[in-house]
Amino acid sequence: MKFRFLVLIAALMGISWFASASAMAQSIAVSLPDTTTTRAEIDLPVRLGDTTGLNVVAINLIVSFDSTIVRVDSITTAGFLAETMFLTTNFSTADRVIVAGAGAAFLSGGGTLLTLHARFVGTGTTALRFEKFVFNEGSPGADLANGSLSNADDTAAEDPAILPESFLVHANFPNPFATETTLQFDLPTTALVRMEVIDMLGRRVHAQPATLVAGGTGRELTLSGAHLPVGTYILRIHAVLPDGERIVNRLATIVR
């Protein structure tokens, strides 16, 4: 009887060791996206393959990127796999984000682990690279796939010979206007451009999101002022160029 009991214990231990070794031998696919967009802000998902039965309870990751093109200021876990984890994050270095997390229960299934909230600060393409990704203390393994992020416009391969030499903002037309006015400008290269409307007390009363505009002459931004009171306003144009941000003000008057 004692011999049979020892055999049973040995068999159970063998099964347990085999299951553990099997889990260690497996790896989970982890990926960053390849994305091209004209939006000024974008969420970048960190995606996982199936984690079911692999006893994943903790993560530790570092994602790096070109900080002259994009910055990451925050992460979102709501509705994603990491929602039940307690996370610590570090954004102190401009060209990378560090995340560590642990939960009280094992992850199950696959999908988006969390998203990185990114914003463009320049134009071009940057690699999105895992400098580190560890499940638990190294088991199971992580099969990593890096990505990229771009706001480069493939249609904006302009002939340098016909590009303007500098950023120039023309007067808006019509001015005064009742409901809508258009502001033209010249760009020496593709750039992120946005417009704010400032009243005479210095308050920002309207803001349009940044958009990627190809280099060239006669580029346009249109303002609908139907929701603004009669009066004089400053149209403030921001352009993020390779050598820095340019800001130009123009006066506009709304009449009825």
Side-chain angles (χ1 to χ4, degrees):
M1 186 69 179
K2 183 177 180 181
F3 174 76
R4 290 181 181 178
F5 177 75
L6 292 175
V7 170
L8 177 60
I9 293 297
L12 290 175
M13 289 178 65
I15 293 173
S16 176
W17 176 87
F18 178 80
S20 178
S22 177
M24 290 179 66
Q26 296 186 51
S27 62
I28 300 171
V30 185
S31 64
L32 288 163
D34 286 303
T35 302
T36 299
T37 182
T38 58
R39 295 170 54 191
E41 298 183 350
I42 184 171
D43 284 339
L44 304 172
V46 177
R47 294 192 174 96
L48 302 184
D50 191 7
T51 63
T52 303
L54 298 181
N55 300 343
V56 173
V57 73
I59 57 169
N60 195 320
L61 65 97
I62 302 174
V63 176
S64 63
F65 37 83
D66 185 342
S67 61
T68 67
I69 295 174
V70 70
R71 300 288 177 90
V72 175
D73 299 315
S74 63
I75 66 171
T76 299
T77 60
F80 303 130
L81 292 173
E83 183 174 27
T84 60
M85 287 185 165
F86 175 78
L87 298 182
T88 59
T89 57
N90 187 334
F91 303 99
S92 60
T93 304
D95 63 354
R96 69 198 61 195
V97 56
I98 302 171
V99 181
F106 297 134
L107 296 184
S108 180
T112 299
L113 173 68
L114 52 82
T115 62
L116 309 175
H117 184 65
R119 57 184 173 88
F120 283 104
V121 294
T123 56
T125 301
T126 175
L128 300 174
R129 189 170 67 87
F130 286 115
E131 289 191 8
K132 177 180 183 180
F133 197 107
V134 175
F135 291 110
N136 302 329
E137 294 183 354
S139 176
D143 184 10
L144 303 178
N146 295 322
S148 65
L149 178 62
S150 176
N151 62 1
D153 186 348
D154 292 337
T155 66
E158 309 95 343
D159 182 354
I162 62 175
L163 288 174
E165 294 184 358
S166 60
F167 176 49
L168 177 64
V169 180
H170 305 283
N172 59 298
F173 182 85
N175 189 28
F177 68 100
T179 58
E180 189 174 270
T181 188
T182 298
L183 189 146
Q184 288 194 342
F185 54 94
D186 303 335
L187 280 174
T189 184
T190 300
L192 283 170
V193 181
R194 63 186 176 92
M195 177 166 57
E196 298 176 313
V197 181
I198 311 297
D199 67 13
M200 290 296 97
L201 296 177
R203 300 172 300 188
R204 186 176 69 173
V205 295
H206 177 76
Q208 295 183 186
T211 185
L212 190 69
V213 181
T217 60
R219 304 314 188 202
E220 294 183 348
L221 288 178
T222 298
L223 169 68
S224 174
H227 64 291
L228 296 173
V230 168
T232 299
Y233 297 88
I234 298 170
L235 306 185
R236 181 165 295 165
I237 312 303
H238 300 250
V240 180
L241 301 170
D243 59 347
E245 185 176 21
R246 299 288 185 273
I247 300 175
V248 177
N249 294 329
R250 291 290 180 264
L251 286 177
T253 302
I254 298 176
V255 295
R256 298 285 190 263

